[in-house]
Amino acid sequence: MVGNTKAQYLVLFSISAVTSKFLDYGVPCSPNDTENICDPAIFLTCVEDTCLCNETMAWDVKNVSQCSFKVMTTCPRYPAHRGPFCYGTAVCDELWGNPYDGICTCLAPDVPSPIGGYCLHLAREVGEYCTQDGVTCSVKEKLACSGTRCGCQAGWLVNGTVCMAGFNARCKVGSELPTETCRRNTLLTCNEETEKCECTRGIEHVWNEESAMCLTKIGATCEFGDVDHHSCVENSHCRTVQNDGAKICTCNQYYHASPDGMECLLDPAEKILSHGEQCDPDNLVEICNYAKDQLCTCPYQSFTCFCECDAGLLVNSRGDCEAGYKAPCSSLPNPGTNLTCNSEAFMKCRENEGNFTCGCDSPLTQAYNPLSKMCHLLVGQECDVTLNPDKISCHSTSICRTTGGESTYCWCQQNYEPSLDQASCNYNYENQTLLLPGQECEDWNYGEFCPHVWNLICLNGTCQCPEGGFLWSGEHPWEGCYPQEGSLRAPLLSTGCLASLTPPLV
Ligand SMILES: *[C@@H]1O[C@H](CO)[C@@H](O)[C@H](O)[C@H]1NC(C)=O
Ligand SMILES: *[C@@H]1O[C@H](CO)[C@@H](O)[C@H](O)[C@H]1NC(C)=O
Ligand SMILES: *[C@@H]1O[C@H](CO)[C@@H](O)[C@H](O)[C@H]1NC(C)=O
Ligand SMILES: *[C@@H]1O[C@H](CO)[C@@H](O)[C@H](O)[C@H]1NC(C)=O
Ligand SMILES: *[C@@H]1O[C@H](CO)[C@@H](O)[C@H](O)[C@H]1NC(C)=O
Ligand SMILES: *[C@@H]1O[C@H](CO)[C@@H](O)[C@H](O)[C@H]1NC(C)=O
Ligand SMILES: *[C@@H]1O[C@H](CO)[C@@H](O)[C@H](O)[C@H]1NC(C)=O
Ligand SMILES: *[C@@H]1O[C@H](CO)[C@@H](O)[C@H](O)[C@H]1NC(C)=O
C-alpha cells in the first residue's frame, strides 16, 4: 500500500534525526523511548514493553529472522528487497482487483494450520528450512531437521536433494526409491540376501564413517589416480611394490598396518628430542617432547625448526614448559606445569580482575624484560652482587654495585640514566657534566660524574685517580689517570667496563 510505504519513510526519517539504538526481538522496550527503538528493519514493534511482531505478523526464523505476515493476512505483492514477506512457506497470492496488496496463502498440498497463522508443510527435500511452525521433515524420505534445514537421517547419505541408503542401511535391489538404493559413488552395493548396503569389494574394502566412503584395505590391489574407486585407507597410498608392477595399498612412512589391514598405525617414537634441539615436523618418530608441551616450531617459516615450548610457555631448567609472563595460570595446588608460573624467571600467579596470569614476584620493585623473558630488579633496588642464579638480577643494561657500605644496588653505568619506569637504563645524550680530579662527586648522580673513560673514580665524595700509583695528566685530560713509572698496575684506560671501576670502591 502507498500509505504503508509513506509510514515507513516517516519512521525511518524520525529515526535518523536522533542517534538511535535498535533493539532485537524479545528485548524490553518503552513506546515513549525515542532513542532505543525496536529494529524497524526486521519489522519489530514495541508490544506491551517488549519488541515483538505486531498482531498481523509472526516471528519467522527462516534464513534471516524477521517478522513475516501470517497466513490469510494482507501482504505487499512487490515487497522491498528485505521484506516483509509471508510467514514460512506461504506465498503472497494476488487479491482480485488490487494491484499492490495480496493475501498470504498456503500452496497445495500445504493447508493452513487449525489455529491459523502458518501453513502445515511436509518438507520432502534435503535443504528445506525446518525451524518454523508447521514444518516437518519427511520421515519417509529419511529426512531429519538438523540446525535450520532438513538433512538425511543417520545411515542415509545426501545426493542433491534426496537421501540415499548408506553403509549397512536397508536397501532393495532394483528399487526406484533413492532411500532404498545404495549411494553408488561411495562404492556401496545392495546385498540381495541381507538387503543391506555393503562395500563393493567385500573384505578388501572397509567403510570409513568420516569420509562416508568404502576405502581399500592395506595389502589389497589398487589403481593409481583412481580416486573414486580404490582410495586406500587413511595414512596409506597406492604404490607399486612388486617387480610385476602390481599396485597395492601400502602404509606411508612412519606408519605400519594393523593386523586386520583396516588402518595404518603410527610407529612408536624412536627418539624424544630435548628442548632447543633441531627437529623436522615431517619426521614422526624423532619427535619433540609433547608430554612436556614442547612443539616442533619453525620460526618465520624457515627450514630450520627447533623443539620449543608452546606459545606463552617458558622452559625451565628441567626442560618443562611452564607458564610465561601474562600467560594464564592457576593458583590451585598441582595445576600441571603449563599452568604453573616459571619461578626460575621470578614469576608468580596473580589475580587480575578475576583472571589469573603470571606476573613478577614483586611488581613494585621488579619489571619484566621481554628479551630475557625474565623479571628483573628496577634500577635503584637492592641486588645480589654474587650473580647467584637463584636470586633475581638487575636488568641487563644496569649493574649491581656497591656505593660504599654493605649494600649493593642496581645502578646505571656512566653516560646512562634510568628509564622513566626505572626498568632499564638508557644512553644519556645530553646534560652530562664530566667532573675533573678533586671535584665533588656523588655516586647516584647520573648527570654529573667522574668519567670512567679517564679512569677517574668517585672516592669518599671526591673525583680521584685509583690508588696505587696513578697520576692525573694535567696537560692532556684525554690521557686521564696514567700509571706512574714502576707501578705494578696496568693501564685501565681503554675499557668502558665498570667492573674495573668497582674493586677500588668495595
Ligand atoms: C508515554 O507518553 C504518554 C503520552 O505522551 C503518557 O500518557 C504515558 O504515561 C507515557 N508512558 C510512559 C511509560 O512514560
Ligand atoms: C504490522 O507491521 C507491518 C509492517 O511494518 C505493517 O505493514 C502492518 O500494517 C502492521 N499491522 C498492524 C495491524 O499494525
Ligand atoms: C539467507 O538466504 C540468502 C539468499 O537466499 C543467502 O545468501 C544467505 O546465505 C542465507 N543466510 C543464512 C543465514 O542462511
Ligand atoms: C544421484 O541422483 C542422480 C539422479 O537422481 C542419479 O543419477 C545418481 O546416480 C545419484 N548418484 C549416486 C552417487 O547414487
Ligand atoms: C596444558 O596441558 C594440558 C595437557 O597437556 C592441555 O590439555 C592443556 O590444553 C594445556 N593448557 C595450556 C594453557 O596450554
Ligand atoms: C579475563 O579473561 C576473559 C576471557 O579470557 C577476557 O575476556 C577478559 O577480558 C579478561 N579480563 C581481564 C581483566 O583481563
Ligand atoms: C640539565 O640540568 C640542569 C641542572 O642540572 C636542569 O635544570 C635541566 O633541567 C637539565 N636539562 C635537561 C634537558 O635534562
Ligand atoms: C675515605 O675517608 C675515610 C674516613 O672518612 C678514610 O678513613 C679513608 O682513608 C678515606 N679513603 C681515601 C681513599 O681517601
Side-chain angles (χ1 to χ4, degrees):
M1 209 212 293
V2 180
N4 230 345
T5 326
K6 262 189 193 160
Q8 280 177 18
Y9 272 122
L10 269 175
V11 169
L12 289 173
F13 181 76
S14 54
I15 290 158
S16 57
V18 284
T19 45
S20 308
K21 206 177 132 230
F22 295 136
L23 306 176
D24 218 337
Y25 182 77
V27 170
C29 55
S30 159
N32 293 8
D33 189 344
T34 51
E35 280 178 27
N36 302 295
I37 57 168
C38 298
D39 194 345
I42 51 176
F43 314 107
L44 289 172
T45 30
C46 193
V47 183
E48 287 168 3
D49 300 332
T50 310
C51 290
L52 296 171
C53 301
N54 69 21
E55 60 198 27
T56 64
M57 302 179 105
W59 185 243
D60 197 343
V61 286
K62 173 182 174 180
N63 191 352
V64 180
S65 299
Q66 61 180 47
C67 296
S68 299
F69 291 110
K70 291 180 186 171
V71 169
M72 300 307 286
T73 59
T74 313
C75 49
R77 287 189 59 199
Y78 306 104
H81 175 59
R82 301 210 37 202
F85 309 107
C86 290
Y87 184 88
T89 49
V91 294
C92 194
D93 205 9
E94 91 187 85
L95 258 185
W96 267 103
N98 191 326
Y100 303 112
D101 291 344
I103 187 153
C104 289
T105 315
C106 298
L107 282 182
D110 295 2
V111 290
S113 67
I115 56 160
Y118 52 86
C119 303
L120 296 180
H121 176 74
L122 186 65
R124 294 175 185 276
E125 292 193 343
V126 171
E128 283 195 68
Y129 288 99
C130 57
T131 35
Q132 299 142 300
D133 289 335
V135 178
T136 322
C137 298
S138 172
V139 175
K140 199 167 150 236
E141 264 73 31
K142 301 293 176 192
L143 293 171
C145 190
S146 71
T148 58
R149 295 170 187 245
C150 298
C152 293
Q153 291 177 11
W156 275 263
L157 304 167
V158 176
N159 177 17
T161 58
V162 301
C163 297
M164 298 187 78
F167 182 70
N168 250 343
R170 282 192 69 82
C171 57
K172 227 176 225 151
V173 175
S175 172
E176 302 266 291
L177 293 173
T179 54
E180 292 179 348
T181 309
C182 304
R183 199 172 186 275
R184 270 296 300 173
N185 68 352
T186 54
L187 309 181
L188 290 172
T189 184
C190 192
N191 182 318
E192 224 163 315
E193 279 171 32
T194 60
E195 296 207 316
K196 282 190 173 175
C197 296
E198 293 176 353
C199 287
T200 50
R201 293 183 66 193
I203 57 158
E204 297 193 324
H205 258 160
V206 51
W207 176 252
N208 180 272
E209 197 65 53
E210 206 176 316
S211 61
M213 289 270 290
C214 295
L215 301 177
T216 304
K217 279 193 201 173
I218 301 307
T221 55
C222 50
E223 287 294 328
F224 286 136
D226 193 0
V227 193
D228 293 337
H229 295 278
H230 295 95
S231 286
C232 299
V233 298
E234 217 186 333
N235 300 314
S236 74
H237 267 99
C238 189
R239 292 186 178 88
T240 310
V241 290
Q242 277 149 352
N243 295 337
D244 62 4
K247 296 179 203 77
I248 285 176
C249 285
T250 322
C251 289
N252 296 342
Q253 194 188 6
Y254 308 123
Y255 288 90
H256 61 275
S258 64
D260 57 9
M262 302 229 294
E263 56 187 330
C264 290
L265 307 169
L266 188 61
D267 291 343
E270 281 166 13
K271 190 177 174 198
I272 305 286
L273 304 171
S274 320
H275 185 270
E277 250 188 289
Q278 204 166 319
C279 54
D280 176 358
D282 295 329
N283 185 334
L284 302 180
V285 295
E286 289 187 5
I287 53 173
C288 299
N289 199 337
Y290 302 126
K292 290 191 167 194
D293 289 307
Q294 290 172 18
L295 300 177
C296 189
T297 314
C298 313
Y300 319 112
Q301 272 106 47
S302 77
F303 296 108
T304 345
C305 312
F306 301 93
C307 292
E308 299 283 1
C309 290
D310 207 348
L313 304 181
L314 182 63
V315 73
N316 65 18
S317 54
R318 295 179 301 280
D320 296 323
C321 297
E322 293 185 301
Y325 189 65
K326 288 216 165 141
C329 56
S330 170
S331 58
L332 299 173
N334 310 318
T337 48
N338 63 1
L339 289 176
T340 305
C341 295
N342 191 316
S343 60
E344 292 174 6
F346 307 99
M347 286 187 268
K348 203 191 227 173
C349 196
R350 319 189 139 267
E351 191 182 349
N352 173 22
E353 291 172 39
N355 294 343
F356 284 89
T357 53
C358 297
C360 292
D361 281 345
S362 159
L364 290 178
T365 58
Q366 303 168 0
Y368 178 72
N369 177 2
L371 281 179
S372 66
K373 296 190 173 147
M374 293 179 94
C375 289
H376 292 287
L377 292 165
L378 297 178
V379 175
Q381 294 299 320
E382 204 166 341
C383 52
D384 183 76
V385 82
T386 61
L387 304 178
N388 178 350
D390 293 343
K391 300 244 173 92
I392 187 164
S393 60
C394 302
H395 187 272
S396 58
T397 56
S398 71
I399 44 163
C400 186
R401 60 155 270 193
T402 174
T403 54
E406 294 288 292
S407 308
T408 50
Y409 300 92
C410 293
W411 190 80
C412 290
Q413 294 189 40
Q414 287 183 352
N415 294 52
Y416 287 77
E417 64 185 1
S419 59
L420 270 182
D421 60 2
Q422 308 285 313
S424 61
C425 300
N426 299 327
Y427 191 79
N428 180 10
Y429 290 97
E430 49 188 60
N431 226 12
Q432 303 179 64
T433 308
L434 307 187
L435 300 173
L436 292 171
Q439 287 190 286
E440 269 180 33
C441 59
E442 215 183 296
D443 277 312
W444 292 91
N445 189 338
Y446 292 106
E448 249 184 37
F449 51 84
C450 316
H452 181 236
V453 288
W454 293 342
N455 200 14
L456 283 170
I457 54 177
C458 188
L459 252 185
N460 275 0
T462 312
C463 225
Q464 12 185 311
C465 285
E467 289 173 71
F470 284 88
L471 286 182
W472 176 250
S473 157
E475 265 177 78
H476 310 292
W478 57 89
E479 287 175 19
C481 299
Y482 65 92
Q484 223 179 347
E485 211 60 45
S487 159
L488 290 174
R489 294 191 67 152
L492 298 169
L493 265 182
S494 56
T495 66
C497 171
L498 214 111
S500 54
L501 176 73
T502 313
L505 289 166
V506 179

